[in-house]
Amino acid sequence: MASVRELKKDINFLASELVTEAYVKQLVKEDVDNDKIAEVMVKAIEFRNDLVARANHPDAKDNPKMVKSYYQNLRKDMMEKFLSISKDTNAL
């Protein structure tokens, strides 16, 4: 299993990619609604904050199997949320 440090690096990277994607979309397309772009950026930052908080406080610290399962679910949630926000950005 990857370390929590690596997981948090991945979370930060994905969140920064979402913000960058929204910012580039705002610069490239002239007909984009700035309020919707700001909403996507806020979602990306909330995504980052929520996942880092979850990574820092796993459930059942005494049971290694439950901790492993917890982090596997966290990674799955991370990818689902990232794809969802990315689709929102592409729809703008």
Side-chain angles (χ1 to χ4, degrees), residues 7-58:
L7 176 63
K8 288 194 273 186
K9 283 183 180 182
D10 291 344
I11 292 167
N12 287 327
F13 174 76
L14 291 176
S16 68
E17 286 297 310
L18 290 171
V19 170
T20 303
E21 183 180 354
Y23 185 66
V24 168
K25 177 84 73 167
Q26 182 181 25
L27 291 175
V28 173
K29 290 183 80 177
E30 295 177 6
D31 62 340
V32 170
D33 185 14
N34 288 335
D35 292 335
K36 290 183 180 178
I37 291 288
E39 183 179 314
V40 169
M41 288 182 181
V42 167
K43 280 184 186 178
I45 293 169
E46 288 175 351
F47 156 78
R48 182 231 173 252
N49 293 341
D50 177 51
L51 290 176
V52 168
R54 287 175 55 193
N56 286 332
H57 303 290

Side-chain angles (χ1 to χ4, degrees), residues 36-89:
K36 290 183 180 178
I37 291 288
E39 183 179 314
V40 169
M41 288 182 181
V42 167
K43 280 184 186 178
I45 293 169
E46 288 175 351
F47 156 78
R48 182 231 173 252
N49 293 341
D50 177 51
L51 290 176
V52 168
R54 287 175 55 193
N56 286 332
H57 303 290
D59 293 338
K61 292 181 184 180
D62 297 334
N63 189 341
K65 288 183 181 181
M66 289 183 73
V67 171
K68 183 176 180 178
S69 174
Y70 177 83
Y71 283 115
Q72 287 174 346
N73 289 333
L74 181 66
R75 279 201 176 271
K76 185 178 131 203
D77 292 346
M78 175 181 69
M79 292 309 297
E80 288 173 358
K81 186 72 172 172
F82 172 76
L83 291 174
S84 170
I85 295 172
S86 182
K87 286 179 184 178
D88 291 346
T89 304

